[in-house]
Amino acid sequence: MKNKRRFAMVSVSVIVVALILEAGILKYVNDANAYRLSKVLLDRVVTVLNKND
């Protein structure tokens, strides 16, 4: 009985750590994509403004 409870706690702990790591990785990738997209949009705006001058 004690081994089953310990196994369950270890399993839950591993799953929680994996979910935290996945959330961190997804946040990093999302931030990088948002930064890249904002740079592209800003470059487009600058190009349009330069053409209008």
Side-chain angles (χ1 to χ4, degrees), residues 1 3 7 18-19 21-22 24-25 29 34 36 38 43 48 50:
M1 186 66 130
N3 286 337
F7 179 74
L19 288 174
L21 284 173
E22 182 182 7
I25 291 168
V29 169
R36 192 175 329 125
S38 65
D43 286 343
V48 168
N50 285 338

Side-chain angles (χ1 to χ4, degrees), residues 1-9:
M1 186 66 130
K2 205 173 193 181
N3 286 337
K4 287 183 180 181
R5 183 170 289 191
R6 182 180 173 131
F7 179 74
M9 291 298 289

Side-chain angles (χ1 to χ4, degrees), residues 32-46:
N33 286 340
Y35 178 75
R36 192 175 329 125
L37 180 63
S38 65
K39 280 183 65 174
V40 168
L41 292 175
L42 187 59
D43 286 343
R44 282 187 186 178
V45 169
V46 168

Side-chain angles (χ1 to χ4, degrees), residues 9 30 46 49 52:
M9 291 298 289
N30 191 29
V46 168
L49 289 174
N52 286 341

Side-chain angles (χ1 to χ4, degrees), residues 5-29:
R5 183 170 289 191
R6 182 180 173 131
F7 179 74
M9 291 298 289
V10 169
S11 298
V12 169
S13 299
V14 167
I15 290 170
V16 167
V17 169
L19 288 174
I20 291 171
L21 284 173
E22 182 182 7
I25 291 168
L26 288 174
K27 181 179 178 351
Y28 173 77
V29 169

